[in-house]
Amino acid sequence: GNSVTQMEGPVTLSEEAFLTINCTYTATGYPSLFWYVQYPGEGLQLLLKATKADDKGSNKGFEATYRKETTSFHLEKGSVQVSDSAVYFCALTHNNAGNMLTFGGGTRLMVKP
Amino acid sequence: EAGVTQFPSHSVIEKGQTVTLRCDPISGHDNLYWYRRVMGKEIKFLLHFVKESKQDESGMPNNRFLAERTGGTYSTLKVQPAELEDSGVYFCASSQVLGSFYEQYFGPGTRLTVT
């Protein structure tokens, strides 16, 4: 079956540091890949997505590239801000699975000023 | 436009009691999903409605869980009787169209604590 593995947190960084959160997946065929973010007290929000190999999703300074050869979708940001403190979830979905999302365990990011 | 709303935001009940969670999707969204996150683990799919019909309920853990979506609008998820392992955060999501290109919009979740 489908599965997503992401690095465990918490990840603690200083403001303006470089961020990488690793995500790898197991799936048949060609899933679509997503990063969702949950800010404190709020629901999950879609951060970025990629629907085919070599696509790069980007939003709010965050980027992730769909790497089929390494089955990865690592999240990166060049300079984090305190406001980026949140829990980040990597996820995948298949068209032939009713679009149910399969999530990783989540990674808590804490950015200190 | 209002987002996905869930009620209550937090519920504390004793083992053996019944709890009903409610989700109001974004107006016009035919697809409604329930997920839950237990004990800080990964978020797991429970079931999927298309309008009022259950499209996929493969993630429902057992028959103590009953989901309904009367009239294809809001949905309820009832847990009866609740057990300790049911504690967690229950998320609802909705999408307008079926397809991985289309975003699922999530509600803030209901935190269920069973004591």
Side-chain angles (χ1 to χ4, degrees):
Chain A
N2 300 332
S3 67
V4 176
T5 302
Q6 60 182 107
M7 59 190 293
E8 292 188 18
V11 174
T12 303
L13 297 173
S14 298
E15 207 165 23
E16 299 184 2
F18 184 85
L19 168 71
T20 299
I21 300 178
N22 290 337
C23 171
T24 57
Y25 68 90
T26 301
T28 56
Y30 301 91
S32 294
L33 302 175
F34 304 83
W35 278 100
Y36 277 83
V37 58
Q38 185 180 24
Y39 298 103
E42 299 183 14
L44 282 78
Q45 301 174 24
L46 178 63
L47 180 60
L48 53 84
K49 66 181 179 185
T51 57
K52 61 181 187 294
D54 300 325
D55 267 2
K56 177 186 284 187
S58 61
N59 186 25
K60 300 181 181 179
F62 291 88
E63 293 183 339
T65 301
Y66 189 147
R67 301 287 189 198
K68 188 163 178 63
E69 63 276 14
T70 55
T71 61
S72 64
F73 193 54
H74 304 320
L75 183 68
E76 297 182 335
K77 186 174 185 181
S79 176
V80 294
Q81 305 301 311
V82 173
S83 58
D84 294 327
S85 298
V87 182
Y88 293 81
F89 294 91
C90 186
L92 65 81
T93 187
H94 267 292
N95 271 338
N96 61 358
N99 275 69
M100 55 175 279
L101 286 160
T102 299
F103 286 91
T107 302
R108 180 176 297 278
L109 170 66
M110 296 188 293
V111 181
K112 297 184 176 180
Chain B
E1 177 181 297
V4 177
T5 57
Q6 294 186 244
F7 182 83
S9 58
H10 192 184
S11 178
V12 181
I13 61 171
E14 294 184 351
K15 176 183 173 180
Q17 291 186 322
T18 297
V19 63
T20 300
L21 313 181
R22 173 170 170 145
C23 168
D24 286 77
I26 293 173
S27 178
H29 282 196
D30 288 341
N31 295 278
L32 187 150
Y33 303 82
W34 282 98
Y35 297 87
R36 74 171 179 176
R37 189 182 191 202
V38 175
M39 299 266 309
K41 296 183 178 178
E42 65 271 18
I43 300 169
K44 288 198 170 182
F45 166 80
L46 295 178
L47 85 158
H48 169 208
F49 283 99
V50 177
K51 297 185 180 179
E52 67 276 8
S53 299
K54 291 177 185 175
Q55 185 76 10
D56 181 356
E57 51 184 332
S58 61
M60 295 287 264
N62 52 60
N63 59 10
R64 295 186 293 104
F65 289 76
L66 175 63
E68 295 180 325
R69 191 181 182 194
T70 307
T73 55
Y74 71 90
S75 175
T76 58
L77 179 65
K78 179 190 287 187
V79 185
Q80 179 182 31
E83 298 289 344
L84 298 178
E85 63 264 26
D86 301 332
S87 295
V89 181
Y90 290 76
F91 294 100
C92 174
S94 71
S95 69
Q96 186 173 23
V97 179
L98 197 64
S100 62
F101 186 79
Y102 297 96
E103 178 179 354
Q104 290 183 30
Y105 295 84
F106 280 78
T110 293
R111 180 174 295 277
L112 174 64
T113 303
V114 182
T115 62

